[in-house]
Every structure is written in C-alpha cells, then in structure tokens.
Amino acid sequence: MINKRLLIKNLLAHNDECSFYDKKRQLNLHTREGKAKFLKHICALSNSNPSNNSFIVVGVEDQDNEIVGDDFFDDSHIQNLVNAFLENPPKIQYENVPFPNLPKDRVVGLVTIKPKSKTSFFKKNIHTIFANTVFVRRGSNSTPTEDKIPYSKQNIETVISIENSSRNSIAHTLDGVMDFVNISHGDLTSQYKVFKELFVICWAGIPKKIRGINYLSRVDIELINEQVKLFYSAQDVVTITYDENIFIITEFVSLGLNDKTSYYPLEQQKISFFDNGYYKIENEMLFEPPIYNKKMLYHIYNTNLSLIDKLQKGVTISEREIKDIENIPCTLMICFLNGFEDAKQKLIEAKPFLKAQKNKVVYINFKEVMRILRKMKYDKIGD
C-alpha cells in the first residue's frame, strides 16, 4: 500500500519534471484554457510513459519545490473530462494529500495516470488545441508531435523504485492516527474505524441534529494508510454510515434564498474494502435542485448582478449589502440551476472581487459553490 505523502516527497526529491512526472502550482478547471492545459499534460505523460504510472503533483512551487498546497479538490468525475476530450484516454485518479505544515483546508493534489498501450490524442477542439493533436513530453515540457510514438519501457525501474520506497508501514499508520486525533483535530469530535484489519479511516466534525437526523459539519475524513483526504468541507454537512466492509459518506448542501435551512443530498461516496487488501471508491450524484418561481428569481438575479457591478466599480455599499455579498455564490447557483444560463459565468467573472472581500466566508462560499457545479457538470456531460 502506497503512502501518498511519502510518494510526493520522493517524487520531489528524486526527479525534476520528466517523462513520468510534472508539478503544478494549481489547477484551474473553471476555464477552457485551464482544462486544455490539464488535458495536454495528461495526454503527454500517458504517451511518453506507457509502461508505468505517471504523476502530476499540484500545490508545489516550480522553482524551489516549496509545498504550498492548493484547495481541496474532490471531483471524482474528473475522469469524465478526460474521456470527453481524449481518444484512448488513460485512467486517472485525483487524490488530496494533507501535509503537516499546511492549514486544514489546504492539501497537495496527486494525479496518478495509469499505464496503457495505445496513443492518446485529442478527439475534439478545446481552447487552442485542435482535434487529432498528439502530445508527448520533451524534458519538462508537453509538446505536440506528428511523429509515431514508439512504445517505451524506459522508466520502469525508476518508477518501481520510487513507489517501493513509498510503501506504508505500521509506524506511519499509527503516527497518522495520533496526528489526526490529537493535533490536527484536537478541537473536534474524532472517531476511527478499522476495516479488514488493515485500513484505517479517521473522521472529525461537529455533530448536529436537525429534524431527527444526525449530521456532521466542518467535516474532515482521511484514509490514514495512504494519507489521502477523502472529504473536506468548511460549509456543507454529511452523514456517515458503515459496517464491517463499507464506509458511506453522504454529502448534503444547504440551499435557500434567505435562511438556507434546507438540506439537499448532493453526492454519496461509497468505499468498499476487500479481504485481498484492495478497496474501491464509487460515487453517485443524488442532487435534485430546488425549483423556485421564475419571476421572483429574475428580480433576485438582477439584484445580485447590480451588487456585483458595485463591487467591480468600487462603489460604497450599505451594511445590508455587505451581508448580501455572502449569499451571492449560493444565489447565483440557484439561478443557474433554474435556467438562468449566464449566472454561472457571471459568478466566475466575479471571483476576484469576491476573493478580495474582508469577510473570508464570501470566498469560501464561492469555492464551495464552484465545487458543486463542477461535480454536476462532469457527472452529466464531462465538459
């Protein structure tokens, strides 16, 4: 079993960017340009290293390898994005890896690209990349090529060595549990569960009971053996159920135009553990958005656009409007889900002005809303 934190450290220590490894300060999948860059690197690493796992580490400074972290990115449907644009797409996995020096809401992202034999190429246009374009790695760069790509086994020994030196141990597992319970979450109620005498899941949060249902808020859930964060949210709530073989996380999103007291099931994540030392994660979208009166929403939508315009122009706003800014992300999401097609783009364009607010809750709300919309989009159309 690979300890993903050790794997990242070994990748950073062992190699500069090469034909099986790349590093990024952050991913930007809000724009077609950002998606195109991500897909280009996936395509190039898959083609240049077909015999081994390839890796992209996210949340690292390019010049000095400083681990600065990035936002928690729990998009289990990112494979759909790859499948939508690449012919012969590789299987990929995105995992969130906590590091001790980072805040609880920051992690290092690890993209693992599985080996495959067939050449990957773009099957349709995106941003400045045209259909049928093939990318390969040349040093630390992902570049287009028209040459036939020979099947390569050049990195087998190197990758195996890095992965073997990243194997988990009992000491790493015990240290991980103690760190989670006593240091990272000493202020929260923490629990753990051992599956198949091998896998350890720890979780922490604030218990709350609403209409007879037990929820957890400010939730953090980790698979300790692999140092992988399974779930994190500063805003939304979850329910947790489990037996001897299965651990189920059901995420709920709080939505409403005023008091936000209604909880809607968003997604269920099911982790199944097996006697042979393997586990499987399955995700199912559950979300059915609330439907509101279009005439009322039209008025609310225009009011929010007017407030965003004031932020862009630096116009002084009232005390009431300062409070309303907190609700802009949630309100525009509701509008988008009720047929206001421009609402999502308006929210994305408002990002720098929401991020600049002194009230940090505003930007947290923005990130949570974008996470939900991204999940829904990839789950349905892959784009």
Side-chain angles (χ1 to χ4, degrees):
M1 191 178 299
I2 301 292
N3 183 306
K4 301 303 171 60
R5 185 188 295 171
L6 278 179
L7 177 59
I8 290 171
K9 289 181 177 180
N10 287 330
L11 285 169
L12 294 177
H14 193 280
N15 280 283
D16 290 326
E17 295 167 294
C18 58
S19 58
F20 66 84
Y21 160 60
D22 194 11
K23 59 187 176 185
K24 299 294 173 193
R25 174 60 183 83
Q26 61 182 10
L27 292 185
N28 177 14
L29 299 184
H30 296 328
T31 67
R32 290 184 70 82
E33 179 182 5
K35 292 175 186 175
K37 288 181 178 179
F38 175 71
L39 291 166
K40 176 181 70 174
H41 296 308
I42 295 291
C43 181
L45 288 165
S46 177
N47 289 334
S48 300
N49 188 45
S51 301
N52 316 274
N53 287 334
S54 300
F55 307 98
I56 301 175
V57 178
V58 182
V60 177
E61 293 288 1
D62 189 50
Q63 298 300 320
D64 57 6
N65 274 359
E66 181 186 359
I67 296 174
V68 294
D70 198 4
D71 293 330
F72 180 84
F73 190 90
D74 66 343
D75 206 328
S76 58
H77 308 288
I78 198 171
Q79 180 74 52
N80 292 354
L81 175 66
V82 175
N83 294 346
F85 284 94
L86 296 185
E87 192 68 40
N88 302 323
K91 290 189 179 299
I92 69 168
Q93 184 177 20
Y94 191 101
E95 295 171 297
N96 298 277
V97 183
F99 272 72
N101 63 306
L102 297 176
K104 279 191 282 189
D105 62 339
R106 307 286 285 182
V107 293
V108 175
L110 177 66
V111 182
T112 303
I113 304 160
K114 304 295 184 179
K116 61 161 192 56
S117 58
K118 294 183 178 180
T119 299
S120 296
F121 60 91
F122 280 76
K123 61 184 178 183
K124 58 183 179 181
N125 302 342
I126 179 171
H127 191 51
T128 59
I129 300 174
F130 295 106
N132 298 315
T133 302
V134 178
F135 284 89
V136 294
R137 293 287 288 185
R138 302 196 191 281
S140 61
N141 297 315
S142 298
T143 60
T145 182
E146 296 182 357
D147 299 332
K148 185 176 180 179
I149 303 173
Y151 188 82
S152 171
K153 296 184 178 181
Q154 64 176 340
N155 297 318
I156 290 179
E157 291 185 4
T158 303
V159 174
I160 289 176
S161 174
I162 291 173
E163 291 182 332
N164 283 341
S165 63
S166 305
R167 297 287 174 186
N168 197 46
S169 67
I170 294 176
H172 287 135
T173 301
L174 291 175
D175 288 345
V177 172
M178 297 302 292
D179 177 82
F180 186 96
V181 173
N182 296 325
I183 300 176
S184 298
H185 303 88
D187 59 332
L188 298 175
T189 301
S190 299
Q191 299 183 64
Y192 72 91
K193 170 69 178 174
V194 179
F195 295 88
K196 303 298 182 182
E197 300 181 335
L198 179 63
F199 302 96
V200 182
I201 289 184
C202 288
W203 66 96
I206 300 175
K208 57 194 302 186
K209 192 167 187 176
I210 301 174
R211 298 171 186 171
I213 299 177
N214 294 317
Y215 296 99
L216 285 176
S217 63
R218 284 182 59 197
V219 186
D220 195 356
I221 306 172
E222 290 185 18
L223 177 59
I224 299 297
N225 309 68
E226 296 193 354
Q227 289 294 331
V228 170
K229 196 181 288 280
L230 296 172
F231 184 89
Y232 178 83
S233 176
Q235 298 291 94
D236 296 338
V237 299
V238 306
T239 59
I240 291 175
T241 57
Y242 55 88
D243 58 24
E244 294 306 307
N245 304 305
I246 296 171
F247 188 87
I248 297 175
I249 308 163
T250 304
E251 179 184 0
F252 293 78
V253 58
S254 173
L255 283 179
L257 294 175
N258 295 310
D259 56 9
K260 291 188 177 184
T261 55
S262 296
Y263 287 95
Y264 297 85
L266 175 64
E267 185 177 37
Q268 186 176 90
Q269 184 175 168
K270 177 181 175 183
I271 304 101
S272 302
F273 298 96
F274 304 97
D275 292 325
N276 60 1
Y278 288 90
Y279 68 92
K280 179 175 67 174
I281 298 179
E282 299 171 288
N283 292 77
E284 179 185 359
M285 284 296 294
L286 307 174
F287 190 52
E288 293 293 337
I291 305 301
Y292 291 90
N293 178 276
K294 284 287 182 67
K295 187 174 181 180
M296 176 187 69
L297 276 185
Y298 186 77
H299 171 72
I300 293 173
Y301 180 56
N302 285 333
T303 299
N304 276 263
L305 294 187
S306 176
L307 185 53
I308 291 173
D309 186 62
K310 288 184 177 181
L311 294 178
Q312 292 172 335
K313 294 178 178 178
V315 176
T316 302
I317 57 177
S318 66
E319 290 294 327
R320 169 67 185 179
E321 289 173 326
I322 290 175
K323 180 63 178 176
D324 289 342
I325 292 173
E326 280 190 25
N327 298 326
I328 285 177
C330 178
T331 301
L332 289 187
M333 178 172 69
I334 290 174
C335 291
F336 175 74
L337 297 174
N338 279 263
F340 291 74
E341 298 294 335
D342 293 337
K344 180 180 175 182
Q345 186 58 37
K346 294 292 185 183
L347 178 58
I348 292 172
E349 293 170 357
K351 175 183 176 180
F353 307 102
L354 299 177
K355 189 175 183 179
Q357 296 302 304
K358 292 182 179 179
N359 182 0
K360 299 305 179 184
V361 172
V362 175
Y363 188 56
I364 291 174
N365 289 345
F366 169 84
K367 292 191 292 185
E368 291 291 309
V369 163
M370 293 308 302
R371 180 173 65 87
I372 294 168
L373 291 175
R374 188 171 58 243
K375 276 188 176 186
M376 295 178 61
K377 188 173 186 180
Y378 293 162
D379 179 67
K380 293 181 179 178
I381 63 177
D383 181 2

